[in-house]
Amino acid sequence: MKEQRHLPALRAHIEQLLSKGWVIASRSPMTLRNGSRCYLVSHGMLISESPSRAA
């Protein structure tokens, strides 16, 4: 059977994050959350959204 998944390295990285306690907060757009840390998957990239910090 032919592999039909796209971006297997990104998928593997996301699976690793999930195994370390991250959760899928949203599927559209794909958003991963761990406490106050958040990652967004956009155009095949995992983008970190850092919490706002007071200067």
Side-chain angles (χ1 to χ4, degrees):
M1 178 175 265
K2 181 182 174 189
E3 178 65 49
Q4 295 185 8
R5 294 178 180 166
H6 297 282
L7 306 170
L10 176 60
R11 182 182 177 96
H13 185 65
I14 290 172
E15 287 177 1
Q16 183 180 30
L17 290 171
L18 293 173
S19 73
K20 292 182 177 182
W22 286 75
V23 296
I24 297 173
S26 173
R27 292 194 180 268
S28 182
M30 174 67 86
T31 306
L32 303 169
R33 189 169 304 277
N34 186 347
S36 63
R37 296 175 61 197
C38 182
Y39 285 144
L40 175 70
V41 178
S42 179
H43 301 286
M45 295 181 288
L46 192 61
I47 301 169
S48 175
E49 293 183 349
S50 6
S52 58
R53 295 182 181 171

